[in-house]
Amino acid sequence: MAVASLVPVAGLGTHIASFAVEVKDALAEAAAQAPDRAGADFLAYGARIRSAPSTDATVRGIGSPGDTATVHLQVVGESIRCADGTTDSHWFDLTNRRSQVSGFVSGCLLQRSAP
């Protein structure tokens, strides 16, 4: 006795193509959030390293020019008015290499460098 297939053959190519697009999009998103291990230095003395990407978040420590930092992730958080008058909503999850304090610092207060 023949048993009917549970997976319809018609349209299988469409399902595979759709799956491939979903995988590609998931990989692109993961790459965007993956650690880039880039370095950075603080642009201001006493730059606050916070527990979340907001000026309302608890201060965990500070960074100053020359401390340098390892950047783990870039996220969107509270918009901050920078010293040059621009507005920046990018925050960086980082670790101060001198003090080993980790947390978030506004993009206004960092100079990124190559990995």
Side-chain angles (χ1 to χ4, degrees):
M1 175 159 139
V3 178
S5 172
L6 295 177
V7 178
V9 176
L12 186 58
T14 303
H15 291 294
I16 291 171
S18 180
F19 177 74
V21 168
E22 289 177 28
V23 168
K24 178 190 70 84
D25 291 346
L27 289 173
E29 184 177 336
Q33 295 194 12
D36 60 11
R37 306 222 190 314
D41 199 2
F42 299 93
L43 293 174
Y45 288 92
R48 293 177 178 100
I49 302 171
R50 298 182 178 274
S51 60
S54 167
T55 56
D56 292 334
T58 304
V59 175
R60 292 181 171 171
I62 60 168
S64 294
D67 285 354
T68 68
T70 300
V71 175
H72 307 294
L73 185 67
Q74 177 180 329
V75 300
V76 175
E78 177 184 350
S79 272
I80 304 296
R81 169 101 30 194
C82 302
D84 65 3
T86 61
T87 302
D88 193 344
S89 61
H90 294 99
W91 288 70
F92 296 89
D93 180 10
L94 55 75
T95 300
N96 181 324
R97 291 179 183 157
R98 180 190 55 79
S99 67
Q100 296 302 302
V101 171
S102 294
F104 294 88
V105 174
S106 168
C108 292
L109 302 173
L110 288 179
Q111 175 64 48
R112 300 280 311 267
S113 59

